Amino acid sequence: NILCDFESNKGYTSVSIYDTWENSPFRKNKLKGNIKVCNNPLTAEDPILGFAPNTSAKVLGAQRSQYGSNTFGALISLEKPIPLSLSKKYIHVKVYTTEPGRFMLIGMGKRTDRPGQSNMTEQLWETSISKVGEGKWFDAVFPISGNPGAELHHLLIVPDLNSTHNRTSDFLFYMDD
């Protein structure tokens, strides 16, 4: 199942930049993040594979800011929530980054039996079980499970879990499928 491929707006309702750090300048509206669905600039054939790993016309591009925390990333609001269960499910995200780092998925949603709960409540944090490098498309794989009765309304894709204290520049990252 492809939740969203960015060729159309099917599968998601919006994309934005989000930081889980409550004092982030992005959450305090002091800075605005850069994110948008754009033409895929990375459709070249991989010389080792012998084919292009991502021929999609459109991808989600974002700027990783040096001023965000280590849980700053691209927030994808889902058209249909993903129900959680104790059984593992796997979310695959095609990712391309211009800097080395470790990807993470933060699932946000709510319990179905708590109507007043915000659908931005953090339900899970998972680092990618697959290696993600730089300068190529990679398949970042995230195992997810959780409390039955909870569902994910948003997926936050974090491109770099390293501390940003020593970061002196921003970088681009792309996602698809």
Side-chain angles (χ1 to χ4, degrees):
N1 275 349
I2 294 180
L3 294 176
C4 52
D5 62 9
F6 304 110
E7 301 300 314
S8 69
N9 60 359
K10 183 180 172 215
Y12 68 98
T13 58
S14 66
V15 295
S16 58
I17 291 297
Y18 188 78
D19 195 340
T20 64
W21 176 38
E22 62 188 29
N23 292 319
S24 169
F26 295 93
R27 290 199 42 192
K28 299 286 186 185
N29 293 321
K30 294 180 178 177
L31 291 175
K32 185 178 183 234
N34 294 313
I35 187 168
K36 77 182 233 179
V37 174
C38 58
N39 292 331
N40 184 356
L42 308 160
T43 58
E45 179 179 302
D46 183 296
I48 295 171
L49 295 175
F51 61 89
N54 189 1
T55 58
S56 295
K58 301 284 185 184
V59 294
L60 182 62
Q63 178 181 1
R64 178 14 168 154
S65 173
Q66 62 186 307
Y67 301 110
S69 76
N70 66 328
T71 56
F72 169 96
L75 185 70
I76 302 161
S77 299
L78 301 172
E79 193 173 70
K80 293 180 189 172
I82 300 170
L84 292 177
S85 69
L86 297 177
S87 301
K88 289 251 188 245
K89 297 177 187 175
Y90 294 89
I91 293 182
H92 294 252
V93 182
K94 282 183 190 168
V95 294
Y96 182 101
T97 181
T98 57
E99 298 236 349
R102 186 103 188 258
F103 272 75
M104 174 184 264
L105 176 127
I106 299 174
M108 295 187 280
K110 65 179 187 172
R111 290 191 48 85
T112 55
D113 61 352
R114 295 183 184 158
Q117 186 177 34
S118 167
N119 69 6
M120 291 293 288
T121 304
E122 295 170 21
Q123 300 292 327
L124 59 88
W125 289 37
E126 290 293 339
T127 55
S128 173
I129 59 173
S130 54
K131 185 174 180 174
V132 174
E134 61 183 289
K136 291 183 179 186
W137 282 106
F138 286 87
D139 182 18
V141 180
F142 304 96
I144 66 165
S145 62
N147 193 328
E151 56 188 20
L152 302 181
H153 291 257
H154 310 276
L155 300 177
L156 178 63
I157 310 298
V158 177
D160 178 22
L161 295 177
N162 294 321
S163 170
T164 56
H165 290 87
N166 295 323
R167 180 161 285 290
T168 59
S169 64
D170 300 348
F171 67 87
L172 295 175
F173 65 102
Y174 297 95
M175 291 160 286
D176 200 13
D177 296 345

